[in-house]
């Protein structure tokens, strides 16, 4: 921008200022949101296709902004990651998910909850202790917790990551790889990790009935994962046709609008009881 004409430079820098002003406001909002606990967790059922019953659920954060209403995580998770605010936010999500899952357990509904972990949280050397402490404070047995990590997390500091995953697994916590296929890892690489399951990214599921490449990707991911002893969850299943394709490839579980959107905690219990 320095080499461009004065006008261009000024225009560019004004745009930058507007952007950073927006960012600063948003960051301040986000800090306040953490202090004032303006977040809530929604839960999306994971359905076991063969039995047509709820096999688990994923906790998904929502920001109930005082002025903007429900804000989707896509609009604030990136900033939360950049600023490190993802750590206190993630702690809150983990605590809340464990507490609410225990509440369900006490009502006779035994479901494992999957919580998303960001890179920063995963790299925290205190992660294992934090997770153990959170589980014990909630009174939730560790088998009811699953942590979803992305391929990009798994790609960093391989040895350390394997050690962390191993330690969590030893505790009885389930580990799954989220958004599989969007990163640069391969199944043969992931073989080094003591994982339980793999979630096929919804971008491949979306067009699998019309795009033969996507169909081939989903099909081969499912069969390779099975060969490696991993269970597979197909994300973003919205239609009967997608479900049929997935079912025919013997993928056991799906998550998607076809069965249910993410629900507020109070509605989740109704969903599970009705299904
Ligand atoms: P994700 O972990 O891949 O979660 C699945 C996303 O797909 C959710 O979006 C869910 O609502 C959406 N989804 C599920 N089924 C369907 C479907 O059939 N069709 C379509 N079009 N979408 C479907 P959501 O809740 O907006 O979350 C977006 C992302 O934000 C998540 O993607 C995750 O990466 C991140 N996120 C959400 N909660 C947390 C959290 O507590 N911590 C961290 N670190 N990240 C979170
Ligand atoms: Ca996820
Ligand atoms: Ca995902
Ligand atoms: Ca995704």
């Amino acid at each position: 921008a320095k080499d461009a004409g004065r006008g261009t430079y000024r225009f560019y820098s004004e745009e930058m200022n507007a952007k950073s002003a927006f960012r600063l406001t948003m960051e301040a909002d986000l800090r306040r949101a953490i202090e004032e606990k303006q977040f809530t967790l929604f839960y999306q059922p994971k359905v076991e296709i063969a039995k047509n019953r709820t096999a688990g659920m994923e906790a998904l954060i929502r920001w109930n902004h005082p002025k903007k209403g429900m804000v989707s995580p896509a609009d604030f998770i990136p900033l939360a990651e950049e600023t490190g605010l993802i750590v206190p936010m993630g702690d809150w999500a983990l605590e809340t998910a464990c507490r609410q899952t225990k509440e369900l357990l006490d009502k006779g509904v035994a479901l494992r909850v999957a919580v998303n972990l960001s890179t920063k949280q995963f790299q925290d050397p205190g992660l294992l202790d934090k997770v153990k402490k959170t589980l014990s404070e909630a009174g939730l047995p560790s088998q009811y917790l699953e942590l979803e990590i992305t391929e990009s997390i798994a790609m960093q500091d391989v040895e350390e990551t394997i050690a962390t995953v191993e330690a969590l697994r030893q505790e009885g916590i389930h580990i799954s790889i989220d958004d599989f296929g969007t990163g640069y890892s391969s199944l043969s690489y992931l073989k080094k990790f003591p994982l339980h399951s793999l979630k096929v990214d919804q971008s491949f599921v979306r067009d699998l009935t019309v795009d033969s490449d996507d169909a081939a990707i989903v099909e081969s991911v499912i069969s390779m994962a099975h060969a490696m002893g991993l269970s597979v969850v197909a994300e973003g299943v919205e239609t009967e046709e997608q479900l049929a394709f997935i079912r025919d490839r013997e993928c056991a579980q799906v998550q998607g609008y076809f069965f249910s959107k993410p629900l507020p905690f109070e509605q989740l219990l109704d969903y599970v009881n009705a299904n």
Side-chain angles (χ1 to χ4, degrees):
K2 271 182 199 151
D3 300 330
R6 249 187 101 79
T8 316
Y9 179 79
R10 192 177 299 142
F11 172 75
Y12 186 61
S13 78
E14 268 166 22
E15 190 185 321
M16 294 286 283
N17 284 339
K19 255 195 195 148
S20 57
F22 173 78
R23 229 190 88 109
L24 284 176
T25 313
M26 177 115 167
E27 188 178 333
D29 275 9
L30 210 49
R31 275 182 205 284
R32 186 167 325 113
I34 291 167
E35 277 163 28
E36 296 179 3
K37 304 207 181 341
Q38 294 169 4
F39 300 103
T40 182
L41 289 182
F42 275 36
Y43 294 89
Q44 187 176 33
K46 288 186 187 178
V47 178
E48 194 177 329
I49 309 176
K51 295 185 182 153
N52 201 9
R53 61 149 217 207
T54 311
M57 58 197 176
E58 177 175 8
L60 295 155
I61 201 166
R62 299 287 180 269
W63 178 4
N64 199 349
H65 192 282
K67 292 203 192 87
K68 295 176 192 154
M70 267 327 163
V71 183
S72 115
D75 296 331
F76 65 88
I77 294 278
L79 183 63
E81 277 173 348
E82 271 175 55
T83 53
L85 290 170
I86 192 74
V87 175
M89 186 187 293
D91 289 349
W92 176 86
L94 183 66
E95 286 159 20
T96 307
C98 290
R99 188 166 32 78
Q100 294 185 322
T101 302
K102 171 70 160 90
E103 219 175 297
L104 287 182
L105 195 56
D106 290 343
K107 289 187 170 130
V109 178
L111 291 178
R112 178 179 296 129
V113 68
V115 177
N116 291 284
L117 271 198
S118 76
T119 310
K120 273 219 176 67
Q121 290 173 279
F122 191 80
Q123 286 171 340
D124 175 359
L127 176 69
L128 180 66
D129 287 338
K130 187 181 277 182
V131 171
K132 281 162 75 174
K133 184 164 174 272
T134 306
L135 283 167
S136 89
E137 282 174 1
L140 184 70
S142 57
Q143 79 211 62
Y144 293 107
L145 179 64
E146 173 172 336
L147 297 173
E148 294 191 1
I149 64 177
T150 60
E151 278 175 88
S152 56
I153 294 183
M155 294 293 280
Q156 292 165 355
D157 308 315
V158 179
E159 297 308 317
E160 261 174 73
T161 306
I162 293 175
T164 307
V165 171
E166 185 61 51
L168 290 163
R169 193 192 165 104
Q170 290 286 326
E171 274 310 308
I173 296 156
H174 279 234
I175 307 287
S176 57
I177 292 281
D178 203 357
D179 304 340
F180 187 78
T182 57
Y184 297 98
S185 66
S186 64
L187 278 166
S188 62
Y189 162 79
L190 286 179
K191 200 172 80 174
K192 296 183 180 156
F193 292 84
L195 304 170
H196 293 89
S197 57
L198 183 154
K199 300 182 80 174
V200 182
D201 192 66
Q202 60 187 58
S203 62
F204 303 111
V205 174
R206 191 178 306 132
D207 297 325
L208 66 77
T209 53
V210 288
D211 184 323
S212 59
D213 292 337
D214 286 342
I217 290 169
V218 172
E219 189 160 42
S220 60
V221 167
I222 294 172
S223 70
M224 279 192 280
H226 284 162
M228 288 166 47
L230 298 175
S231 68
V232 183
V233 181
E235 293 191 294
V237 172
E238 296 186 358
T239 68
E240 186 83 59
E241 293 72 27
Q242 290 165 341
L243 181 67
F245 181 97
I246 302 285
R247 188 201 289 120
D248 292 347
R249 270 74 186 174
E250 279 158 25
C251 171
Q253 292 184 16
V254 296
Q255 190 182 334
Y257 296 172
F258 180 76
F259 287 104
S260 174
K261 291 200 166 183
L263 302 168
F265 181 62
E266 303 72 39
Q267 285 174 34
L268 180 78
L269 190 60
D270 296 339
Y271 176 88
V272 175
N273 286 334
N275 288 274

